[in-house]
Amino acid sequence: MRNEYGSVPWLEVIAPLMPQVLAADWSHEVIGRDWMIQTYLDGVPAPEHLGTYPRTAWPAFFRQMGAIARSVHDVRGPCFGPVGGPGYGTWSEAVLASLEEIAADLDGVGLDAGDVRKVAALAAYDRAVLDEVTEPGLLTGGLWTVH
């Protein structure tokens, strides 16, 4: 949620499509957890309505989703990593740090992180390939029909 909140200024390119943040609090003093209040957007979630359209109309919907994703991915930033930080100087550093966090989270709940560690080792070994990406860009994983 904090990363979502921190990304709002970077998402100006699609601001008309997004709810407005009315309030946010990370102090845990009000309800004992992070919270954010946003405006309500009219509409029907795609999983509830997309199936009522003929399949021939679906490509236009998914082209629009692709255009929105492209506009987000065209946003450039000052560093690699989560919007809320920490920031990294290279893409490989950001990827490796993320994989380390995922492995630690798995360890923390008693799950096997071996596969994640294998991926991290491969990423570390071939980090030069990752570092072919030299310009930080905003990536979104939230543009799918259930959102």
Side-chain angles (χ1 to χ4, degrees):
M1 183 182 319
R2 291 180 188 205
N3 205 52
E4 180 180 340
Y5 178 79
S7 69
V8 169
W10 298 97
L11 294 171
E12 185 175 335
V13 66
I14 60 167
L17 304 173
M18 295 177 45
Q20 303 280 314
V21 175
L22 301 175
D25 179 56
W26 320 126
S27 71
H28 296 202
E29 293 175 8
V30 177
I31 60 171
R33 64 182 48 148
D34 291 354
W35 59 269
M36 183 167 57
I37 299 173
Q38 297 176 302
T39 57
Y40 178 80
L41 293 178
D42 285 330
V44 178
E48 294 175 21
H49 198 58
L50 187 59
T52 66
Y53 287 91
R55 283 191 74 82
T56 55
W58 291 19
F61 171 80
F62 287 106
R63 274 193 294 282
Q64 282 185 306
M65 292 286 284
I68 293 166
R70 171 83 280 147
S71 66
V72 170
H73 294 169
D74 283 343
V75 174
R76 298 296 177 238
C79 59
F80 293 99
V83 171
Y88 300 92
T90 65
W91 179 232
S92 66
E93 289 173 315
V95 169
L96 291 169
S98 176
L99 291 170
E100 289 171 16
E101 287 180 21
I102 292 168
D105 286 346
L106 290 169
D107 289 339
V109 295
L111 297 173
D112 180 16
D115 288 344
V116 174
R117 287 200 169 80
K118 285 179 188 175
V119 171
L122 289 170
Y125 178 78
D126 281 335
R127 70 186 315 144
V129 172
L130 294 171
D131 289 336
E132 290 177 14
V133 177
T134 59
E135 189 175 17
L138 188 60
L139 301 178
T140 180
L143 293 176
W144 46 311
T145 58
V146 297
H147 280 147

